[in-house]
Amino acid sequence: MKKLFALGMASVMALSLAACGGSASSAASGAADTSSAATAEATGKKWVVATDTVFKPFEYTDASGNFVGIDVDILAAIAEDQGFEYELKSLGWDAAIAACQSGQADAMIAGASITDERKASGWMFSDGYYDSNQTLTVPEDSDIAGFADLSGKNVAVKTGTQGASYAESLKDEYGFTITYFEDSPTMYQAVLGGQCVGCFEDTPIMKASIKDGALALKVLEDTASDPAPYGFAIFSEDSQELLDMFNKGLADIKANGKYDEILAKYLG
């Protein structure tokens, strides 16, 4: 699931966060509200955790308007296990990174792939909590069967994601061009509308989107990248205590079965 981000955007996004309004700048509902009632014995503070808005099944809004998903439930379970209090803010991918870089959030959980490039640019990751890869998705009636069929064509990616990085690593070899989009739904519509012949996306996200949205798209399984783990991320040593608690709590919920229960709830 996700994503390199130009450091220069941090100051711009930081200034805009106060104007985001609505659900984008408020604490997420549902599971996040329950977790915010946890005691703050471990840290004596309420940690602010930023996340994406549309990245099903990891973070999304359900039919009742509650913010839910694998990331949401994992964070809630870890907070309960470790006894810390937090506020989950659903900001969108770019704004979540900017909030962390500007100090308006302490950490983010948003299907962020652990990569050496991100570590080099200042990301500090937890232990991995889910392994994912990226694949090429095309319309159901497309005759594109693999990368060799992309020559001279245009594909869609979401800015700053692992899908974008994967496409960028292939474009010269296979001779295709790339158009960048800010969110997944817009990217999917570009493929469905014929603006692009396909898109690169995290495989579990793409499959969930196709199933739940009844999208006329198909995932080309033979185009998968090597898997990479998702991680909880901080951008300042001031949040090291939170990162340590996340790792301890993750180990605990894996040992007691809660982790498997969460994955089964969303992935079957």
Side-chain angles (χ1 to χ4, degrees), residues 35 42 44 93 98 137 174 180 207 222 231 236-237 255:
S35 64
W93 175 257
T137 293
Y174 293 100
Y180 295 83
K207 289 183 175 180
D222 292 339
S236 168
E237 292 182 357

Side-chain angles (χ1 to χ4, degrees), residues 1 8 65-66 69 73 196 206 231 234 242 259:
M1 129 110 233
N66 297 316
D73 286 8
C196 301
M206 193 71 254
I234 64 172
L242 177 60
Y259 173 83

Side-chain angles (χ1 to χ4, degrees), residues 2 8 40 55 62 79 82 96 132 160 162 181 208 217 237 256 265:
K2 283 177 170 184
F55 198 57
D62 67 14
Q82 292 293 298
S132 182
Q162 282 303 102
F181 295 88
L217 298 170
E237 292 182 357
N256 65 27
K265 174 182 175 181

Side-chain angles (χ1 to χ4, degrees), residues 123-242:
W123 296 58
M124 290 172 274
F125 285 103
S126 68
D127 297 334
Y129 65 85
Y130 183 86
D131 287 342
S132 182
N133 59 14
Q134 290 74 43
T135 44
L136 174 64
T137 293
V138 298
E140 279 184 338
D141 59 357
S142 174
D143 58 3
I144 292 174
F147 299 142
D149 299 322
L150 295 177
S151 180
K153 297 178 173 63
N154 186 47
V155 301
V157 301
K158 186 163 63 171
T159 301
T161 64
Q162 282 303 102
S165 296
Y166 187 38
E168 289 161 358
S169 74
L170 298 168
K171 69 181 182 67
D172 290 339
E173 179 180 357
Y174 293 100
F176 60 84
T177 57
I178 297 174
T179 296
Y180 295 83
F181 295 88
E182 291 302 315
D183 60 77
S184 293
T186 305
M187 178 175 69
Y188 303 157
Q189 288 305 312
V191 178
L192 291 168
Q195 181 181 351
C196 301
V197 298
C199 64
F200 286 85
E201 175 73 290
D202 287 47
T203 307
I205 310 309
M206 193 71 254
K207 289 183 175 180
S209 298
I210 290 173
K211 178 182 177 181
D212 297 335
L215 302 179
L217 298 170
K218 60 183 178 182
V219 174
L220 301 182
E221 298 287 356
D222 292 339
T223 64
S225 66
D226 292 333
Y230 289 162
F232 181 80
I234 64 172
F235 295 75
S236 168
E237 292 182 357
D238 291 342
S239 299
Q240 185 63 48
E241 181 181 12
L242 177 60

Side-chain angles (χ1 to χ4, degrees), residues 93-137:
W93 175 257
D94 288 349
I97 298 172
C100 291
Q101 291 175 332
S102 66
Q104 294 189 354
D106 299 299
M108 68 178 286
I109 185 167
S113 297
I114 300 173
T115 67
D116 290 339
E117 292 81 3
R118 286 179 181 158
K119 290 179 181 178
S121 67
W123 296 58
M124 290 172 274
F125 285 103
S126 68
D127 297 334
Y129 65 85
Y130 183 86
D131 287 342
S132 182
N133 59 14
Q134 290 74 43
T135 44
L136 174 64
T137 293

